[in-house]
Amino acid sequence: MEPRAVANAVETGEEDAMVDALRTYNQENCQSFTFDDDQREDRKRLAGLLVSALEQGLPPSRRATWLQSLRILSRDRSCLDRFTSRRSLQALARYAGISTSEEPDPEPQDMDIVLESLKCLCNLVLSSPTVQVLAAEARLVVRLTERVELHGLQSFPHDVQFFDLRLLFLLTALRTDVRHELFQELQGVRLLTHALELTLGAGPEESPPERLPTQDTERAMEILKVLFNITFDSVKREVNEEDAALYRHLGTLLRHCVMVSAAGDRTEEFHGHAVNLLGNLPLECLDVLLAAELHAGSLEFMGVNMDVIHALLGFLERRLDQTPRLKESVAPVLSLLTECARAHRPARKFLKAQVLPPLRDVSTRPEVGGLLRNRLVRLMTHLDTDVKRVAAEFLFVLCAESVPRFIKYTGYGNAAGLLAARGLMAGGRASGQYSEDEDTDTEEYKEAKASINPVTGRVEEKPPNPMEGMTEEQKEHEAMKLVNMFDRLSRHRVIQPMGMSPHGHLTSLQDAMCQSMEGQLSSDPDSDPD
């Protein structure tokens, strides 16, 4: 039914004609998410009529039909300006049962009406900055959190619980003030951690279910997304004992999330949200990932349960196959594994055994091949600076931040970016706290070590000598030609000769020589003028 005909029926004010027209329109457009430009003005007119009636108050007999039509029209961005009044937002919030005004809520509360109103609010908050402001000013987050707290105590339908959480997610994603309010004033982490525990159906000391049902999966993912929003820029790296206990409890639940399968084909997505949130936890609370007790069938390494670390490594490998958007898909899990490896020696030793096993094949470049090591080394020269930084950092930590070992596994050419940023181009070791590790070389590596090109990280065939057969005069002539070419390029600033500073940083050759001379003079007692 055309929106013009529906609007005409609504304008007549005849009850039966209005309801019949709206029901027909709802049935025909319930799955419509794109709209023709030809009927834009008619839809805007219809939206204006419906919103006007909404603001005045809808009688119970037509409330469900009216809200369904409003939900459909709220998907149309050209109609959004009809919804952007404080009165319409308050009316929708009242029907959704989340109004903070003094106006009493309709009694008894019809869950179908609540659901339709929540869906309208989600559409409007997602698409309209004006509605986002109004929703923040109306403090809808307060009533939403109150109701989320009741989800486990009262029999709210799944869809109502889901859209409560979805609206909470949208508000915290789009409004910084709402995010901080939920985190600080409303104790959102504690509230949502409890909600997640109820949804998973597993306490901190219990085993997770083998597979989450569809509805539990959907609600759990919304909870994880809201928790990610409110902890992203609020969690301090140093927390007090009470907060640390809370985050460890949340970390235990997230460990369950990483190990459990989700309904349908959503396991990868579910694990992704859990990994993203783990990256927001204080570093000192990540020890819960290794705190699970050993049991029959668990993966043990150095007396520690490595099931979660192994699962995260498998998650990383699957994400590496998803070539588009590597930053969003790979960087979080790489950062998480890096912090686990840096803080816990068993995790680092286990990851090194999996990612950087003892070298045997030294005939191919480190970045060539399909092994996990090869794929990560390739990321070290990725165009995205964040991707190459986290990949290099991960491998560097697995090498106990030892420069020679790092170069051995990746090649100097691939390692140069991280070493230059760390001031380690001259070699040495970073300042991380690591116990002495043995890096036993294989017989194959020992035999080929002297022939390995440190830049490429593989055995290279010796190139032919270009000066073979030349006389000494010819060699001297070619050398002078090369010197003159470099001199011209330098004087015209095409290239700049570089040197290594005493601190291991690349700098201009002149500055490097000056700093080196200054260092020698300051350390030479005979240079003191007194």
Side-chain angles (χ1 to χ4, degrees), residues 78-380:
S78 66
C79 295
L80 289 179
D81 59 342
R82 300 295 190 269
F83 293 88
T84 53
S85 72
R86 188 168 275 102
R87 287 186 64 190
S88 63
L89 179 77
Q90 289 173 347
L92 286 172
R94 187 170 66 254
Y95 290 133
I98 56 172
S99 173
T100 56
S101 67
E102 297 300 322
E103 243 179 291
D105 292 336
E107 293 290 346
Q109 211 171 39
D110 185 328
M111 288 296 120
D112 290 335
I113 301 302
V114 169
L115 181 60
E116 288 297 336
S117 303
L118 283 171
K119 289 179 178 180
C120 285
L121 286 168
C122 286
N123 289 344
L124 295 172
V125 168
L126 175 63
S127 302
S128 171
T130 304
V131 175
Q132 293 164 19
V133 173
L134 294 173
E137 291 176 351
R139 301 193 71 196
L140 300 187
V141 65
V142 175
R143 289 298 305 276
L144 278 171
T145 51
E146 289 175 358
R147 194 154 73 192
V148 168
E149 197 167 9
L150 296 174
H151 282 177
L153 303 175
Q154 299 181 15
S155 55
F156 286 96
H158 159 72
D159 286 342
V160 170
Q161 294 185 50
F162 175 81
F163 279 99
D164 278 346
L165 294 165
R166 171 59 60 86
L167 184 54
L168 202 56
F169 163 70
L170 291 172
L171 288 170
T172 53
L174 298 168
R175 294 288 303 183
T176 306
D177 52 349
V178 174
R179 197 154 61 231
H180 291 162
E181 182 179 8
L182 179 55
F183 178 80
Q184 294 174 345
E185 298 176 27
L186 302 174
Q187 299 292 304
V189 175
R190 189 175 303 280
L191 167 75
L192 291 164
T193 298
H194 180 63
L196 179 62
E197 185 175 348
L198 293 176
T199 304
L200 293 176
E205 303 300 327
E206 300 172 24
S207 298
E210 292 184 2
R211 189 177 187 82
L212 276 182
T214 301
Q215 293 185 348
D216 292 343
T217 298
E218 292 176 347
R219 294 200 308 275
M221 286 199 291
E222 294 303 311
I223 294 171
L224 293 174
K225 287 154 60 177
V226 178
L227 279 167
F228 176 84
N229 287 345
I230 64 176
T231 57
F232 180 71
D233 53 4
S234 300
V235 174
K236 299 176 182 177
R237 286 306 173 186
E238 294 182 7
V239 292
N240 58 36
E241 289 187 15
E242 183 180 356
D243 287 340
L246 172 61
Y247 289 121
R248 281 196 171 89
H249 178 40
L250 176 55
T252 303
L253 296 175
L254 294 176
R255 185 181 70 202
H256 290 350
C257 291
V258 171
M259 298 302 298
V260 75
S261 296
D265 58 354
R266 308 197 73 179
T267 298
E268 194 76 14
E269 181 186 1
F270 181 59
H271 289 175
H273 291 307
V275 168
N276 290 344
L277 181 53
L278 276 168
N280 287 356
L281 297 190
L283 300 180
E284 65 205 69
C285 300
L286 292 178
D287 55 359
V288 296
L289 296 181
L290 301 173
E293 294 183 359
L294 290 167
H295 56 81
S298 62
L299 181 59
E300 182 264 341
F301 186 85
M302 296 178 66
V304 178
N305 188 326
M306 289 292 167
D307 286 342
V308 176
I309 301 298
H310 186 259
L312 290 172
L313 198 58
F315 177 78
L316 169 62
E317 290 199 69
R318 292 191 297 276
R319 281 292 173 97
L320 284 171
D321 294 330
Q322 302 170 3
T323 47
R325 302 183 66 179
L326 274 177
K327 180 177 178 179
E328 293 83 356
S329 61
V330 169
V333 65
L334 271 176
S335 298
L336 177 61
L337 288 171
T338 300
E339 295 303 337
C340 289
R342 181 179 279 123
H344 303 286
R345 184 171 181 263
R348 180 174 61 81
K349 298 284 284 184
F350 173 78
L351 287 168
K352 183 175 182 296
Q354 301 295 315
V355 180
L356 300 177
L359 281 178
R360 298 186 184 279
D361 179 14
V362 288
S363 61
T364 57
R365 291 173 178 263
E367 66 270 22
V368 175
L371 298 176
L372 184 53
R373 165 184 167 242
N374 308 133
R375 299 161 80 186
L376 290 173
V377 172
R378 283 199 291 273
L379 291 186
M380 293 171 63

Side-chain angles (χ1 to χ4, degrees), residues 375-408:
R375 299 161 80 186
L376 290 173
V377 172
R378 283 199 291 273
L379 291 186
M380 293 171 63
T381 53
H382 196 273
L383 290 175
D384 190 299
T385 55
D386 289 329
V387 171
K388 68 180 180 182
R389 177 185 58 78
V390 293
E393 186 81 11
F394 176 55
L395 295 176
F396 192 47
V397 169
L398 294 192
C399 293
E401 301 193 12
S402 165
V403 173
R405 194 177 302 169
F406 186 48
I407 293 173
K408 167 185 168 182

Side-chain angles (χ1 to χ4, degrees), residues 416-448:
L418 181 138
L419 298 180
R422 294 286 198 91
L424 295 171
M425 294 291 283
R429 179 172 232 154
S431 58
Q433 299 296 317
Y434 297 96
S435 58
E436 288 300 320
D437 271 311
E438 292 185 7
D439 191 32
T440 307
D441 293 331
T442 62
E443 291 299 324
E444 295 90 336
Y445 181 79
K446 289 178 181 177
E447 290 177 6

